[in-house]
Amino acid sequence: RVGAPKDKKDSKTGITKTLVREDFDAGLVVTNEFDDISGDIVVDVPKIFSGFETLRIRGSGRYRDAKEPSSPITDHARTVAERFASMPGTVLVFFNDVRWVESVATKTSVDDGLYANERSKLADFVGLELGIDHPLVSCCRQGIGYHHSHLPLSVQRAIEFALDEGWLKIVFATPTLREGVNTSATTV
């Protein structure tokens, strides 16, 4: 869905540019890559999340204007993770930026009612290591975790253990989790 083009004048340069907002619905297609399953398996999940981009019109083309608002990729990833969390198994989402990992984890919610005792013990341990007011404590109680190199090694290992045991439904992580760790996450 494309809105009507609008002109916007830059107050610093005085240059006028024509912008258009484009709303979109996006889906996901998952295909099987394992040799042990014969035949093709394709899962098509249409309209799993929505968003928008602000595009700059130049001549006959449209280009993404990084200075104009667009829906954040973290919102898209969070929505996808929350949708997959309703299925059996665990969800692991990778980001390159520690701030994104923490931010999206604190905005994510899962209401599965599972592993309350285990999650409480994990949260208590994380609270002892990081302080009871640390955002990871409340995330763990809700079945959400995050993992990055700025966390103490003891907390990283606790998050990895909880992911492997299935106590955490969703874990957001930087690539440091991939380095030397095999997880039992069912959706990555």
Side-chain angles (χ1 to χ4, degrees):
R1 298 173 303 271
V2 179
K6 296 180 181 177
D7 289 335
K8 180 179 179 182
K9 186 173 185 175
D10 188 308
S11 60
K12 293 180 183 176
T13 64
I15 297 172
T16 300
K17 54 186 176 179
T18 303
L19 302 173
V20 64
R21 176 182 163 135
E22 186 172 302
D23 295 319
F24 61 84
D25 294 320
L28 184 67
V29 176
V30 181
T31 60
N32 171 54
E33 294 183 1
F34 294 107
D35 294 332
D36 60 343
I37 299 176
S38 61
D40 292 335
I41 297 175
V42 177
V43 178
D44 187 4
V45 186
K47 294 186 179 183
I48 198 167
F49 65 89
S50 300
F52 73 94
E53 287 187 311
T54 303
L55 304 173
R56 184 173 182 179
I57 299 173
R58 269 194 230 150
S60 62
R62 289 192 265 179
Y63 309 91
R64 186 167 185 276
D65 190 328
K67 295 180 181 179
E68 298 298 329
S70 291
S71 53
I73 192 169
T74 53
D75 288 354
H76 304 164
R78 178 178 47 83
T79 302
V80 171
E82 288 174 342
R83 296 269 175 93
F84 275 98
S86 66
M87 299 187 304
T90 55
V91 179
L92 179 57
V93 180
F94 286 104
F95 288 110
N96 288 328
D97 191 305
V98 169
R99 294 168 298 181
W100 289 6
V101 166
E102 292 183 358
S103 172
V104 74
T106 59
K107 295 175 185 171
T108 303
S109 64
V110 172
D111 186 17
D112 63 1
L114 301 173
Y115 302 109
N117 189 39
E118 292 86 350
R119 290 174 179 174
S120 180
K121 289 178 182 177
L122 174 64
D124 291 345
F125 173 76
V126 171
L128 288 173
E129 295 290 308
L130 302 175
I132 59 171
D133 293 330
H134 196 279
L136 184 54
V137 174
S138 61
C139 286
C140 288
R141 289 192 197 286
Q142 299 172 42
I144 309 294
Y146 58 83
H147 184 289
H148 55 70
S149 62
H150 297 178
L151 293 171
L153 195 56
S154 59
V155 173
Q156 291 180 34
R157 296 300 168 256
I159 296 298
E160 293 163 13
F161 179 78
L163 176 63
D164 284 342
E165 293 296 315
W167 301 347
L168 296 175
K169 191 67 178 172
I170 303 173
V171 173
F172 297 94
T174 60
T176 57
L177 181 62
R178 285 192 301 225
E179 297 169 5
V181 176
N182 289 325
T183 72
S184 62
T186 53
T187 305
V188 179

